[in-house]
């Protein structure tokens, strides 16, 4: 089996873990009603997940640095299965919080390993495309997992979603065993040394791009279902269609982002994506009451938002190629931290201002990300000239 097929198998695994992460936003109103909490409180399940991901991933990556990559992924998938098992047997809000923590830390390890293995399996000039293929799984989680999850939750029960994900994760373990080659880990890097990477101004500024990009995105996305139901006035069926369109656009955007990093260069792809991302969020807030306008804007939002992921991964790996796993782990943590803060800000906005305001505030968050992006790319250009 060629390496390209192995990369696509890693993408399938990322689809499973991506669905477990994203589907909560699609069923937030149903989940809140079932466990007896407010929509804003249910949204904090995303905050807890993101914090656990941000804190737990670098610790586990450091502790397992020498472990064979295939063995590490299989172990993380076993933990992921356990998290889904707890989710379907949950008896309340607290137990569900615990399950989200387990799912978060296992997903973090799975994604870091998948991205590093994909990068090693590909040629250097095609690294952006390989990373985009793995992230394709996350995008498919938005395209199929989230809308399908809402349909299943509406027709049956939301716990059936996690039953299916858990069963498929067991199948994934059996497929990965003979498919993914053994791969040595990197030299172990203690947490203190990982954090020392933040002393490098270029890395710190570059990582802050991820923080503001995803913060602005999450402020609205966390509450996208009630936003479409209550503000735009969509029916439940139209929400499912809207989520499907959103996911489809994320797939295209991710692939274009990976292509752009390789063909158009990092600066144009990154700055252009952030500019349009912020602009579309402002338009969503301005035209939030018109479903005819909101639907195409959802697709544009998703396209430009997800075009940033691959180019940012390639950009960061180029800064520390000798420690790609560590810097990707740090980036994942920053992304999840941004999601946690975004979900909290979104909850505050929903409770104290309005659902419509999450679009405006989200656009501001993404726009702020342009500042470190321009500064970081300027430092990169000056460094290249000096060399």
């Amino acid at each position: 089996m060629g390496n390209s097929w192995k990369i696509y198998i890693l993408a399938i695994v990322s689809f499973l873990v991506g669905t477990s992460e994203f589907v909560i936003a699609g069923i937030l109103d149903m989940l809140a009603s079932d466990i007896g909490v407010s929509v804003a409180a249910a949204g904090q399940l995303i905050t807890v997940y993101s914090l656990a991901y941000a804190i737990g991933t670098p610790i586990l990556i450091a502790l397992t640095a020498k472990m064979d990559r295939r063995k590490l992924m299989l172990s993380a998938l076993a933990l992921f299965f356990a998290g889904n098992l707890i989710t379907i047997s949950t008896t309340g809000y607290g137990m569900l919080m615990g399950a989200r923590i387990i799912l978060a830390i296992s997903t973090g390890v799975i994604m870091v390993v998948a991205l590093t293995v994909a990068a090693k399996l590909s040629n250097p000039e095609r690294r952006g495309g390989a990373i985009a293929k793995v992230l394709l799984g996350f995008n498919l989680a938005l395209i199929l997992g989230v809308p399908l999850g809402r349909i299943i939750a509406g027709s049956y029960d939301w716990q059936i979603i996690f039953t299916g994900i858990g069963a498929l994760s067991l199948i994934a373990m059996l497929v990965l065993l003979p498919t993914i080659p053994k791969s040595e880990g990197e030299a172990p890097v203690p947490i203190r040394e990982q954090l020392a990477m933040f002393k490098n101004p270029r890395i710190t500024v570059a990582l802050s791009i991820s923080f503001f990009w995803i913060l602005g995105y999450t402020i609205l996305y966390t509450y996208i279902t009630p936003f479409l139901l209550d503000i735009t006035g969509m029916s439940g069926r139209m929400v499912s269609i809207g989520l499907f369109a959103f996911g489809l656009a994320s797939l295209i955007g991710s692939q274009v982002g990976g292509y752009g990093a390789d063909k158009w260069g990092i600066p144009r792809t990154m700055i252009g994506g952030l500019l349009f991302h912020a602009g579309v969020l402002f338009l969503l807030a301005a035209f939030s009451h018109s479903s005819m306008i909101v639907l195409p804007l959802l697709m544009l939002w998703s396209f430009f938002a997800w075009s940033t992921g691959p180019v940012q991964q390639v950009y960061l790996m180029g800064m520390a190629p000798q420690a790609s796993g560590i810097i990707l782990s740090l980036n994942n943590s920053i992304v999840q931290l941004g999601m946690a803060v975004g979900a909290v800000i979104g909850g505050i906005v929903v409770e104290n201002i309005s659902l419509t305001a999450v679009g405006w505030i989200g656009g501001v968050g993404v726009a702020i990300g342009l500042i470190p992006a321009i500064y970081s790319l300027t430092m990169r250009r000056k460094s290249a000239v000096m060399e």
Side-chain angles (χ1 to χ4, degrees), residues 39-352:
V39 169
Q44 300 319 302
L45 290 169
I46 295 175
T47 300
V48 170
Y49 181 102
S50 298
L51 285 174
Y53 194 126
I55 297 170
T57 300
I59 294 174
L60 288 177
I61 289 296
L63 293 175
T64 59
K66 288 186 175 181
M67 187 182 295
D68 167 60
R69 301 294 92 177
R70 182 176 65 179
K71 183 177 180 181
L72 177 57
M73 179 168 283
L74 292 174
S75 300
L77 275 168
L79 184 61
F80 179 75
F81 172 78
N84 282 286
L85 190 62
I86 296 172
T87 299
I88 62 178
S89 58
T90 184
T91 57
Y93 188 62
M95 190 173 178
L96 191 56
M97 281 279 191
R100 295 304 291 171
I101 291 172
I102 293 173
L103 288 172
I105 59 177
S106 58
T107 294
V109 173
I110 289 168
M111 287 307 300
V112 169
V113 175
L115 289 169
T116 52
V117 170
K120 290 178 181 178
L121 289 173
S122 65
N123 296 324
E125 66 275 10
R126 296 182 179 177
R127 187 169 291 168
I131 290 172
K133 286 184 176 69
V134 175
L135 293 177
L136 171 73
F138 255 55
N139 300 137
L140 285 174
L142 286 171
I143 295 172
L144 300 175
V146 175
L148 184 60
R150 181 163 183 84
I151 292 172
I152 292 172
S155 302
Y156 302 99
D157 189 282
W158 62 267
Q159 291 173 324
I160 293 178
I161 301 168
F162 294 95
T163 301
I165 293 174
L168 290 172
S169 68
L170 286 179
I171 296 174
M173 292 172 66
L174 296 176
V175 174
L176 283 172
L177 187 59
T179 303
I180 303 300
K182 290 185 177 181
S183 175
E184 293 183 0
E186 299 172 339
V189 180
I191 295 297
R192 182 177 297 177
E193 291 186 30
Q194 290 189 49
L195 296 177
M197 296 186 76
F198 286 109
K199 294 180 179 179
N200 183 328
R202 287 188 60 201
I203 292 177
T204 301
V205 174
L207 287 172
S208 70
I209 301 170
S210 295
F211 178 82
F212 288 107
W213 152 59
I214 203 68
L215 178 144
Y217 170 89
T218 308
I219 287 173
L220 175 56
Y221 184 73
T222 300
Y223 300 96
I224 188 61
T225 299
F227 180 90
L228 295 177
L229 287 170
D230 301 335
I231 304 301
T232 307
M234 289 185 178
S235 64
R237 180 173 177 273
M238 277 302 297
V239 169
S240 295
I241 293 173
L243 291 174
F244 178 81
F246 183 93
L248 182 62
S250 74
L251 166 63
I252 300 171
S254 178
Q255 297 308 296
V256 170
Y259 177 86
D262 293 335
K263 299 296 182 181
W264 304 326
I266 290 171
R268 290 182 181 178
T269 310
M270 181 182 292
I271 298 299
L274 290 171
L275 273 171
F276 283 105
H277 184 177
V280 173
L281 281 172
F282 291 139
L283 290 174
L284 272 169
F287 296 97
S288 58
H289 294 284
S290 173
S291 59
M292 293 297 292
I293 298 177
V294 165
L295 188 58
L297 285 177
L298 276 177
M299 297 184 71
L300 287 173
W301 171 34
S302 183
F303 176 90
F304 289 113
W306 286 93
S307 70
T308 304
V311 67
Q312 177 71 339
Q313 300 273 6
V314 174
Y315 184 43
L316 289 169
M317 290 177 71
M319 289 184 174
Q322 75 285 357
S324 58
I326 298 301
I327 198 163
L328 286 178
S329 173
L330 286 174
N331 184 57
N332 279 346
S333 293
I334 292 297
V335 166
Q336 293 297 329
L337 182 61
M339 292 179 72
V341 176
V344 170
I345 292 174
I348 293 171
V349 171
V350 169
E351 289 284 351
N352 297 284

